[in-house]
Amino acid sequence: MIEDFMAELEQPIRAIKLLTIFMQEQVCDDCTFFINKDQRDKNENTLALNYAIELVNKDVLKLKRKYYKKMCREKYGK
């Protein structure tokens, strides 16, 4: 049961890592300051990445709840 949970959890964790790398590059990218004086575009992109991370986190929580319920059923027979 735990092996199944860890296997399914691997993809969302990779997605979170990738999205945080994108966010770090977006925040640290000096090129956008020279091209676009307006900070609004950069902030909108950062917010979009943050929203995507929140969605992946919700998927992780759903997976965790699903497996904990299965584990309780197996252990206690409820």
Side-chain angles (χ1 to χ4, degrees), residues 5 57-73:
F5 176 65
N57 275 335
K58 286 181 183 179
D59 288 343
V60 169
L61 289 175
K62 286 178 187 175
L63 263 175
K64 189 171 104 176
R65 286 186 195 123
K66 182 174 93 174
Y67 275 100
Y68 283 153
K69 285 180 184 179
K70 283 184 179 181
M71 286 173 53
C72 286
R73 283 187 206 134

Side-chain angles (χ1 to χ4, degrees), residues 1 9-10 12 18-19 21-22 25 28-29 32 38-39 41 48 52-53 56 61 66-69 71 76-78:
M1 180 61 73
L9 194 61
E10 189 173 330
L18 187 62
L19 288 168
I21 289 170
F22 286 152
E25 288 179 4
C28 296
D29 189 16
T32 57
D38 188 14
Q39 187 71 14
D41 290 337
I53 291 171
V56 173
L61 289 175
K66 182 174 93 174
Y67 275 100
Y68 283 153
K69 285 180 184 179
M71 286 173 53
Y76 301 114
K78 292 182 180 180

Side-chain angles (χ1 to χ4, degrees), residues 21-33:
I21 289 170
F22 286 152
M23 186 178 290
Q24 182 180 6
E25 288 179 4
Q26 175 72 23
V27 170
C28 296
D29 189 16
D30 292 334
C31 195
T32 57
F33 288 117

